[in-house]
Amino acid sequence: MSNQSINANRLLGRIRELGEIGRDGDGRLVRLAASDSEKLGRDRFVAWVKDAGLDVAVDRIGNVFGIWRPEGTGDRPPLMLGSHIDTVVNAGMYDGCYGVLSGLEVVETMKAQGFVPSRPIAVAAFTNEEGVRYAPDMMGSLVYAGGLGVEDALATMGTDGTTLGEELERIGYAGPEEPGFLQPHAYIELHIEQGPVLERESILIGAVENLQGISWQRVTIDGDANHAGTTPMSMRRDAGHAAARVITFLHDRAIASNTPTVATVGCMSFEPNAINVIPSRAAFTVDLRDPDEDRLKAEEAELVAFLDRLAEEEQVSVSVERLARFEPVKFDAKIVGLIEKAAKDRGLTCRRMTSGAGHDAQMIARIAPSAMIFVPSVGGISHNPKEFTTDGDLVAGANVLLDVVRQFAREEE
Ligand code: GLV
Ligand code: MN
Ligand code: MN
């Protein structure tokens, strides 16, 4: 058991402080990417990074880095830690923030303990991980890893009609660095599980070995607006009803499949959206995920076939726009092993697992060996203000991160 640990009060205090930044008039945590409220969160993080004596760097897509370059580490590729501080609407306070603040905490702990790593350590807060305001999700890390051009990403139009590049300029986080300017030696992301597995099995640490594929699409169905009282059911081209059929199709199929496939329709709008008018248009999103790429492809194909049938049967027209598509990712076996060993050495129960959520690690894995550490989410709840992880579990996870980083930072190769 290691006798060196992170400063629990500092970490927990910061998680709570950041969790209060970006509350709306109803007390909901809404820190959407590149918004005014997210700027306040970024400013707070940057202030902590500076207080810790780290260099601050911001790249063109707004990713923020706190970089510790101890003497003698020169230009060696840094070990990178991090996650994101943007949130969904009415979010919990742990998703993303826990990983960013734990990364900073680990660095501050190492500095305070006089540990000198053999390479720099960078703590990243990636832009727009959530993808709520601008699609795709994990955008900052995707651009950083070269999977999306920076100009294309900056030109992305948000759900509120804004442009990401203009918003980053406006909030002062359109930085000068080229995304990818630091080639990580490895990337490790600590995160709450956001699902029920660890709690159900009374296990404290998840060594995340893979992450499922994600498919995001926007479907638009066009029918005819008409009078709700006078139009016989047989004479309708009801876009709303057609959309409802897609929801039940996806839901029933995922349940009947008895596989890990999950399907969600999370956004929907009708036009003209009036109580006594048959909807002429329904626009909605489809989030499909599966750890198996072939199965995910098959599910996408089944949806296409269903939409074709639907167009015929409901006499509507259907168009589909792809918003995001990420294949499943396998994390680095060596880092996963180090995580398991660190947990064991601290006497913490640990299991290997798959991430159901998307994470920046999924993108950075394209350019560097990467892996993730999970801690339990009470009730498996996330993307919800009820999201909760106990202080003890948060601290345990950060200590495992500390041990893994210490191990890595000693390597000379
Ligand atoms: C990110 O939070 C995602 O998995 O959608
Ligand atoms: Mn997250
Ligand atoms: Mn999230």
Side-chain angles (χ1 to χ4, degrees), residues 83-84 86 94-97 129-130 189 191-192 194 357-360 383:
S83 194
H84 61 98
D86 66 311
Y94 305 96
D95 179 358
C97 301
E129 190 272 352
E130 294 291 6
E189 181 167 347
H191 207 285
I192 55 165
Q194 307 182 274
H359 294 290
D360 294 306
H383 286 183

